[in-house]
Amino acid sequence: MPFSLSVDSGFQFEDNINAAQTNPQADVILHSSLNTSFHWAATDQSEVDLNAGVGYSRYLKYSQNDRVDFAPTSALTWNVLLQDVTLTFYDQFSYTEDVVTQGALSDLATFPVFDNVTGFRASWTPDAWLFQAGYSHDEYFSDLSALNYLNRTSEYFFARGAWRFAENTQAGLEASASITAFEISAQAGNTSISIGPFADWQITEAIRATLRGGPTIYLFDAQPGAGSNSGTRLNSYYAGAQLNQQLTDYLSHQVSVQREVSLGLNEGGNFLTQLTAAYSLTYSQTRFLDIGINAAYERGTQTFQNEIVIAEGLGFLVNQTENYDHYAVGPSFTWHATDKLTASLNYNYYLRDSNLAGRGYQDNTVAFKVDYAF
């Protein structure tokens, strides 16, 4: 079907919507959304795909947190096929406010950010080789004045080349670079580059593995008042490994470990490093019921400005380094009542520990949703 439309509605109970160590706030959140997808074979060699989702969340008690969401998968994509060359032009956009799913954040009820990425990529597969290259422009900003330090534009570049040993097995070299500029000087503009080997390996028909890693270098611009005319340099690395296995016709699981460096989310923090280990298990005994469980652990380090309060209305900012641990685990149940009607029930438990006082929390979330596809 070239066009599809679905709606969903449900509720969520959360016992710590402000991700706070003390005085947690509990609330019930009503949510509804509209999701569309469209596929158009424009010519024999090109196709256009649109996936978009928009929703609204209503907080019954703390209505100041009511929000609009755009699904992270919302994107417009145009693929052009030219023999062994594929050109892809895309625009991907999202607006989210989630806090507990991001290990670097705490003591916040919402974290509204809009992210729009526009770009293109080209893939060339001559014989047993694979070559890819691409460019994207990213607009990242918040509509909350307290978070305007996040507002930035970035240019991203990537390239990779690989030898394909088999249809789903390849190994090669990849490289990426970025240039980022912020609207205000609270965060330092920067350039980055990373390069390293990667491999995708179809070990057996049921087991697939992905490996990658290499050095990452960030060069940060000098900031006003920093006491130096020169910026700073970060020498680090990225690494990732993922293993997928289809244990039986009904049971599959996935495990992954990833270490990455990314731009900071808290004011005064230019970057954060995070190690993430995740596991998921899916069981589908019948076509009507899916049961899953997801677990993740994040270990991160970040620097940022933290307010030290001396008395009411009196305080000062200091630069601090935080080491945090973030845990998430929860089961999920999905019932396919008919081909068009689906119901799901999810529970998630989040725990955050920190070496800084007041930045840990616990959160329990129960969500129920009904989805209908027209």
Side-chain angles (χ1 to χ4, degrees):
M1 181 181 296
F3 176 78
S4 65
L5 178 69
S6 67
V7 295
D8 66 66
S9 184
F11 67 89
Q12 174 178 306
F13 171 76
E14 190 170 353
D15 67 357
N16 190 359
I17 63 169
N18 52 334
Q21 184 167 318
T22 58
N23 301 318
Q25 299 171 349
D27 207 342
V28 174
I29 307 156
L30 305 181
H31 181 81
S32 296
S33 66
L34 175 68
N35 304 281
T36 64
S37 66
F38 174 75
H39 175 80
W40 175 39
T43 69
D44 291 340
Q45 287 79 36
S46 66
E47 58 186 25
V48 177
D49 291 284
L50 171 65
N51 294 283
V54 59
Y56 186 76
S57 295
R58 166 67 173 163
Y59 287 69
L60 295 186
K61 186 175 182 180
Y62 299 96
S63 59
Q64 68 271 23
N65 297 321
D66 292 355
R67 69 194 192 211
V68 174
D69 292 310
F70 286 94
T73 55
S74 297
L76 175 64
T77 306
W78 177 31
N79 293 304
V80 181
L81 308 177
L82 304 171
Q83 293 182 347
D84 54 3
V85 175
T86 301
L87 302 177
T88 301
F89 303 87
Y90 60 89
D91 184 82
Q92 184 169 345
F93 49 93
S94 67
Y95 180 82
T96 60
E97 300 194 17
D98 288 338
V99 173
V100 294
T101 58
Q102 302 187 72
L105 302 176
S106 71
D107 204 22
L108 293 167
T110 62
F111 193 78
V113 291
F114 187 92
D115 194 13
N116 187 83
V117 182
T118 303
F120 72 89
R121 58 181 175 268
S123 298
W124 180 33
T125 55
D127 298 324
W129 289 96
L130 167 69
F131 298 102
Q132 293 180 320
Y135 160 78
S136 62
H137 173 79
D138 184 14
E139 296 280 347
Y140 187 92
F141 61 91
S142 176
D143 56 1
L144 186 65
S145 59
L147 299 180
N148 62 6
Y149 65 87
L150 291 170
N151 298 353
R152 65 178 187 252
T153 59
S154 299
E155 318 300 327
Y156 293 102
F157 309 86
F158 88 93
R160 54 166 34 183
W163 174 261
R164 296 184 296 164
F165 298 91
E167 183 178 356
N168 295 314
T169 300
Q170 59 192 15
L173 192 66
E174 61 186 4
S176 63
S178 69
I179 303 172
T180 298
F182 287 88
E183 287 187 6
I184 62 176
S185 59
Q187 309 291 95
N190 57 81
T191 59
S192 73
I193 186 170
S194 62
I195 185 171
F198 76 94
D200 297 319
W201 183 16
Q202 190 72 45
I203 303 173
T204 69
E205 185 177 348
I207 303 175
R208 182 177 180 85
T210 301
L211 300 170
R212 58 180 26 88
T216 294
I217 299 173
Y218 273 85
L219 300 175
F220 294 95
D221 300 337
Q223 293 179 269
S228 173
N229 292 326
S230 61
T232 59
R233 171 171 173 159
L234 171 68
N235 296 317
S236 190
Y237 67 94
Y238 75 97
Q242 180 173 301
L243 184 67
N244 297 272
Q245 184 179 18
Q246 188 73 38
L247 294 169
T248 70
D249 291 340
Y250 313 108
L251 187 64
S252 64
H253 65 159
Q254 173 183 294
V255 61
S256 64
V257 179
Q258 179 173 294
R259 202 265 190 187
E260 62 181 352
V261 183
S262 59
L263 298 180
L265 295 177
N266 293 284
E267 187 169 5
N270 291 329
F271 67 92
L272 66 92
T273 60
Q274 184 167 281
L275 175 68
T276 303
Y279 177 77
S280 64
L281 178 71
T282 302
Y283 180 66
S284 303
Q285 176 64 59
T286 73
R287 68 183 184 89
F288 298 105
L289 181 64
D290 297 330
I291 301 174
I293 187 167
N294 295 278
Y297 167 72
E298 299 170 347
R299 173 65 173 176
T301 299
Q302 62 180 340
T303 58
F304 61 95
Q305 291 181 338
N306 196 20
E307 183 179 10
I308 303 299
V309 178
I310 301 176
E312 185 176 354
L314 181 62
F316 59 93
L317 296 176
V318 296
N319 292 322
Q320 291 187 298
T321 298
E322 180 186 35
N323 298 312
Y324 62 85
D325 298 286
H326 184 256
Y327 307 84
V329 64
S332 63
F333 305 88
T334 303
W335 177 44
H336 304 278
T338 68
D339 291 339
K340 295 180 177 293
L341 183 63
T342 302
S344 62
L345 177 65
N346 300 273
Y347 167 75
N348 286 288
Y349 171 73
Y350 300 96
L351 171 66
R352 189 182 196 272
D353 289 326
S354 172
N355 64 312
L356 300 181
R359 289 186 55 84
Y361 66 81
Q362 296 184 61
D363 178 76
N364 292 275
T365 301
V366 178
F368 175 77
K369 182 179 71 172
V370 175
D371 184 286
Y372 185 81
F374 294 92

